[in-house]
Amino acid sequence: MTRCFNCGAEREADVCASCGLNSSAAEFALRRKLLNRTALFLLGTIAFVVASGRYPALELDRILIFVGVLFVVTLGLAIWVERRALRHTEVEKLKRVYYGLIPVPWLLAVLLLANGALDRGAPQVVEARVIGKFAMRGPVPSRRLVVTSWRDGHRWERILVRNGDFDRIRVGDVVDVEVRSGLVGIPWVSGVSRH
C-alpha cells in the first residue's frame, strides 16, 4: 500500500479515493506544490538576509551560517522528494519535513526584527579599537568593522555599520559601540561613533 503524492492518503488503486487523481496527475501536483513552496522558501531567505541588516545581531555571522546550512538542507530535501516521486517511491514523510522547514526563514526574520524593534532597554556603550574593515558588494551590501571585543571569550567582534560610518572610521580608531540586549536576548548593535 502506498500513499498518494498529492494528498498523502493511503491508496490501493492507481486512482486515489480521496482526491481522485491518478499516479501521474498526483506526481504533477506534487511537483507544482514543491515548486511553489520552494519559491516561498527562497523569498523567506531573502527576507531574512534583508531583515538581519536592520537590527544587526552581534552573532550575525553565526546566524547567517545557520541559515545557509538550513538553505542547503531544505533545497536538498526538495530535490530528494522530487527524485523519489519520479521513481514512484514513498515521499510522504520527507514531504512533511520539507513543508515544516519552509516557514523557518520567515520566522527567523520576524524574530530578528522584533528583537530590535521592540527592545526598549537602554543601550550599553562600550569602547573598542578598530582592527580591520571589510566591505562586501552585491544585492545586499555589507560593511563591517572588526573591533576588539568587550565580551569574555571573544577576541574581536564584527559590527555591521552604515556607509557613512564605514567611510569615516579608520583602522586604529577607538569607537563607542552602542549595544542593546534585545527583546528576546539576542544582543544587537544600534550604533557606532568615534570615541
Side-chain angles (χ1 to χ4, degrees):
M1 183 162 316
T2 59
R3 293 187 175 271
C4 176
F5 291 143
N6 181 46
C7 66
E10 293 182 356
R11 62 183 175 91
E12 297 177 0
D14 186 48
V15 176
C16 176
S18 295
C19 65
L21 298 178
N22 65 12
S23 297
S24 299
E27 180 185 323
F28 180 76
L30 171 68
R31 294 174 83 186
R32 189 179 65 223
K33 285 180 185 176
L34 284 174
L35 183 64
N36 290 338
R37 292 185 186 202
T38 301
L40 185 65
F41 176 75
L42 293 175
L43 285 174
T45 306
I46 292 169
F48 170 79
V49 171
V50 172
S52 67
R54 181 69 177 104
Y55 301 102
L58 276 178
E59 299 293 339
L60 186 59
D61 290 340
R62 290 182 182 166
I63 295 171
L64 289 173
I65 289 170
F66 170 75
V67 170
V69 169
L70 176 73
F71 179 82
V72 170
V73 167
T74 305
L75 288 185
L77 192 58
I79 292 168
W80 193 17
V81 168
E82 194 263 341
R83 293 297 165 200
R84 286 180 63 92
L86 284 176
R87 291 192 306 263
H88 299 289
T89 57
E90 196 65 37
V91 299
E92 191 61 28
K93 290 179 183 174
L94 291 174
K95 182 174 79 169
R96 296 295 167 203
V97 172
Y98 173 70
Y99 288 172
L101 292 174
I102 298 300
V104 172
W106 289 101
L107 295 172
L108 290 174
V110 169
L111 178 73
L112 283 182
L113 285 174
N115 182 62
L118 302 176
D119 182 12
R120 299 294 178 237
Q124 173 191 5
V125 179
V126 293
E127 190 177 292
R129 180 173 299 281
V130 178
I131 56 175
K133 296 169 59 169
F134 68 92
M136 185 171 61
R137 291 177 173 78
V140 183
S142 174
R143 287 167 181 75
R144 298 188 188 202
L145 299 176
V146 182
V147 299
T148 55
S149 181
W150 56 91
R151 299 188 295 167
D152 293 334
H154 293 82
R155 291 179 52 200
W156 57 76
E157 305 288 346
R158 293 176 188 91
I159 299 173
L160 195 65
V161 293
R162 296 185 207 101
N163 283 346
D165 294 335
F166 184 81
D167 294 336
R168 190 178 68 244
I169 297 171
R170 306 273 182 242
V171 173
D173 287 350
V174 176
V175 293
D176 290 330
V177 181
E178 289 184 9
V179 181
R180 295 182 180 255
S181 59
L183 179 70
V184 295
I186 302 172
W188 61 283
V189 176
S190 61
V192 177
S193 59
R194 275 189 175 168
H195 182 66

